[in-house]
Amino acid sequence: MVEAFTVMNAVGLLAFAVAGSLKGAEADLDLFGVAVLGVLTALGGGTLRDVLVGRVPASLQSTADVGVALVGVALAVAFVVGSEDVRGHPALVVSDAVGLAAFAATGALVGVDAGLSPFGVVVLATLTGVGGGSLADLLLTRVPVVLREDFYATPAALGGVGYWSATAAGVTADEALLGTAALVFAVRVLAVRGDWRLPTLSAV
Amino acid sequence: MVEAFTVMNAVGLLAFAVAGSLKGAEADLDLFGVAVLGVLTALGGGTLRDVLVGRVPASLQSTADVGVALVGVALAVAFVVGSEDVRGHPALVVSDAVGLAAFAATGALVGVDAGLSPFGVVVLATLTGVGGGSLADLLLTRVPVVLREDFYATPAALGGVGYWSATAAGVTADEALLGTAALVFAVRVLAVRGDWRLPTLSAV
Amino acid sequence: MVEAFTVMNAVGLLAFAVAGSLKGAEADLDLFGVAVLGVLTALGGGTLRDVLVGRVPASLQSTADVGVALVGVALAVAFVVGSEDVRGHPALVVSDAVGLAAFAATGALVGVDAGLSPFGVVVLATLTGVGGGSLADLLLTRVPVVLREDFYATPAALGGVGYWSATAAGVTADEALLGTAALVFAVRVLAVRGDWRLPTLSAV
């Protein structure tokens, strides 16, 4: 079971790194900038999570995660050089949803372990899922996509609620982790297929 | 005495959440984005403060603060939906000054407790007071208002100086806390009434 | 030997504070904003470094560093008021390279001390060197200069690689520190003289 989760996490790192690198290439950054955007998108959420609970970021301690992220950067560079437009490609969208699911679930787990309030757990799940992409957006001086009419942060937040409720109800951490990931993935995929959006106040 | 401070803090959370949510609604964020801006404006300064001194953020551990912040978000949504323009309303300006005062005072207290230098205490007082609003500005890719011709961060910084001096002179923490809050509030209200501004270098 | 390093560090704080203050003055911030930009550019990288490894930032604990930074702010204000355009002045460019070298070296040292992976050491060296300027850019809602066709972050990253390799090979921390600083300085100065740039993907 834990192996399944490790695979989901790696898929997510790869997909996030590809997406971040493409964003950097589009903004005409140099190669260093493209790599920074890719790696930051992949590792930024987990780094924020660890800093918030006072841990030295796992991203700076292991080499495996950054290795996967750099593969994602290389893939993205190959796509751009080959003039292949992969944005919106179903494989990328699904991998991205897998990453959101895995990251939100680990965020919730770390939050519960650190003794956070339910609100804190939801914040940590959400930030772990969307923090990397949002940091990348900020570096490009863009309003983070997740704040605008998009159903992307919401599945991660729901995952936080789900994980907290499950562990409060006595479910084991391993089971809650996988259940949360499945929930986030399902909600995100449904949201993409159904083009779900949250209303803006001007539309009310 | 401590109760008075708790009330000031709650008033500040409410006022900051209303102001942040209005900013988000104005930028046409979706409902999730509006709530993020409101909660971040209310809790962001204290979160920065705690991260800087290596504490797990109080904002992620208690539920009371985020509850008050969410009430502020709901209020702001009601104002927007009811097309009531409350910006600049005296009640909001005064509540905001109360919040700045309470937040700057707690920032100074945490800084002295953590053994920071006088400079560190001033930074922590200022960041606790203006950090939430500045983070919200950054998410909207705006230069934080406090960096431009405005007398908003200055009262908070003066509060840091005041608190540090008072405790160095042997005043108890409780008294210094209330005295600092009173100082920050008075300076801020005078600044608003007198339309005080710091000069820019181009005006020199 | 350690004294030489202390001097390099002080030169760097001064140069970074001047550069940051000039940036703030150019953006027409008020005096408080100019000081914030100057101090943040000087101390921001080291602060990020300390927060990432879970230390209370040295910048908030000592008074010497901020004193040097404030001298830099005052210098910059004097330049602006005297209408002297010092940007690109060789003295500033060389001092800036000295700062980049000293900061990248301390970042690498702190990273190795904290037991980070080689990747973590490189990240910490780079962030310590370029983090302050990048935070200042973000406050002004600009894409950090280091992400765009510039050979500025690369010397710092190379310094991280150099320091890690040297200590892994058994070189003492003191020697590795000075060697790293020399390496970063040399690469940066060569890059400026030769107008080195990393390619962008659109140029590939």
Side-chain angles (χ1 to χ4, degrees):
Chain A
M1 233 165 60
V2 173
E3 285 79 18
F5 194 79
T6 307
V7 171
M8 285 186 68
N9 205 53
V11 169
L13 287 170
L14 203 64
F16 277 39
V18 169
S21 304
L22 292 178
K23 222 188 268 182
E26 226 178 302
D28 213 32
L29 301 186
D30 66 16
L31 263 178
F32 173 80
V34 168
V36 167
L37 269 267
V39 171
L40 181 66
T41 304
L43 304 180
T47 304
L48 275 181
R49 173 200 67 202
D50 290 341
V51 167
L52 279 173
V53 299
R55 296 186 182 179
V56 177
S59 56
L60 300 180
Q61 291 182 299
S62 101
T63 337
D65 283 9
V66 65
V68 176
L70 287 175
V71 171
V73 171
L75 270 177
V77 169
F79 289 142
V80 172
V81 171
S83 302
E84 235 171 300
D85 191 358
V86 295
R87 275 167 312 167
H89 190 288
L92 201 57
V93 172
V94 170
S95 311
D96 190 90
V98 168
L100 182 69
F103 293 5
T106 60
L109 177 140
V110 169
V112 166
D113 277 1
L116 301 188
S117 67
F119 168 72
V121 172
V122 171
V123 166
L124 223 57
T126 310
L127 260 186
T128 309
V130 311
S134 299
L135 285 175
D137 285 337
L138 286 179
L139 283 186
L140 296 177
T141 68
R142 296 175 184 173
V143 176
V145 173
V146 296
L147 295 179
R148 290 193 185 278
E149 306 160 62
D150 191 18
F151 214 86
Y152 192 88
T154 316
L158 290 177
V161 173
Y163 187 93
W164 184 84
S165 311
T167 51
V171 175
T172 68
D174 269 12
E175 282 169 7
L177 196 69
L178 282 173
T180 298
L183 170 72
V184 175
F185 180 76
V187 174
R188 174 61 188 154
V189 167
L190 285 174
V192 171
R193 298 204 57 157
D195 201 18
W196 295 358
R197 285 168 190 286
L198 287 174
T200 62
L201 289 186
S202 58
V204 171
Chain B
M1 231 163 64
V2 175
E3 286 79 17
F5 194 80
T6 308
V7 171
M8 285 185 70
N9 206 53
V11 169
L13 288 171
L14 204 63
F16 278 38
V18 168
S21 304
L22 292 177
K23 220 187 268 180
E26 227 178 302
D28 214 31
L29 302 186
D30 66 17
L31 264 177
F32 173 81
V34 168
V36 166
L37 269 268
V39 171
L40 180 67
T41 303
L43 304 180
T47 305
L48 276 180
R49 174 199 68 203
D50 291 340
V51 167
L52 279 172
V53 299
R55 295 187 183 179
V56 177
S59 56
L60 299 181
Q61 290 183 299
S62 100
T63 337
D65 284 9
V66 64
V68 176
L70 288 175
V71 171
V73 172
L75 271 176
V77 169
F79 289 143
V80 172
V81 171
S83 303
E84 235 171 299
D85 192 358
V86 295
R87 276 167 310 168
H89 190 288
L92 201 57
V93 173
V94 170
S95 311
D96 190 272
V98 167
L100 183 68
F103 292 5
T106 60
L109 178 140
V110 169
V112 167
D113 278 2
L116 301 188
S117 67
F119 168 72
V121 172
V122 171
V123 166
L124 223 57
T126 310
L127 260 188
T128 310
V130 312
S134 299
L135 286 176
D137 285 337
L138 287 179
L139 283 186
L140 296 177
T141 67
R142 296 175 185 172
V143 176
V145 173
V146 296
L147 295 179
R148 290 194 186 277
E149 306 159 63
D150 191 18
F151 213 87
Y152 191 87
T154 316
L158 289 177
V161 173
Y163 187 93
W164 184 83
S165 311
T167 50
V171 175
T172 67
D174 269 13
E175 282 169 8
L177 195 69
L178 282 173
T180 298
L183 170 71
V184 175
F185 180 75
V187 175
R188 175 60 189 154
V189 167
L190 286 174
V192 171
R193 296 205 58 159
D195 201 17
W196 295 358
R197 283 166 194 286
L198 287 173
T200 62
L201 290 185
S202 58
V204 172
Chain C
M1 233 165 60
V2 174
E3 286 79 16
F5 194 80
T6 308
V7 171
M8 286 186 68
N9 206 51
V11 169
L13 288 170
L14 204 63
F16 277 38
V18 169
S21 304
L22 292 177
K23 220 188 269 181
E26 225 178 302
D28 213 31
L29 301 186
D30 66 17
L31 264 177
F32 173 81
V34 168
V36 166
L37 269 268
V39 171
L40 181 67
T41 304
L43 304 180
T47 305
L48 275 181
R49 173 199 68 201
D50 291 340
V51 167
L52 280 173
V53 299
R55 296 186 183 180
V56 176
S59 56
L60 299 180
Q61 290 182 298
S62 100
T63 337
D65 284 8
V66 65
V68 176
L70 287 175
V71 171
V73 171
L75 270 176
V77 168
F79 289 142
V80 172
V81 171
S83 302
E84 235 171 300
D85 192 357
V86 295
R87 275 166 310 167
H89 190 288
L92 200 57
V93 172
V94 170
S95 312
D96 190 273
V98 169
L100 183 68
F103 292 6
T106 60
L109 177 139
V110 169
V112 167
D113 278 1
L116 301 188
S117 67
F119 168 72
V121 173
V122 171
V123 166
L124 222 57
T126 310
L127 260 187
T128 308
V130 311
S134 298
L135 285 175
D137 284 338
L138 286 180
L139 283 186
L140 296 177
T141 67
R142 295 174 186 174
V143 177
V145 173
V146 297
L147 294 179
R148 289 193 186 278
E149 304 160 65
D150 192 17
F151 213 86
Y152 191 88
T154 316
L158 289 177
V161 174
Y163 186 94
W164 184 84
S165 311
T167 50
V171 175
T172 67
D174 269 12
E175 282 168 8
L177 195 70
L178 282 173
T180 299
L183 170 71
V184 175
F185 180 76
V187 175
R188 175 59 189 155
V189 167
L190 286 174
V192 170
R193 296 203 59 157
D195 200 18
W196 295 358
R197 283 166 193 288
L198 287 174
T200 62
L201 290 186
S202 58
V204 172

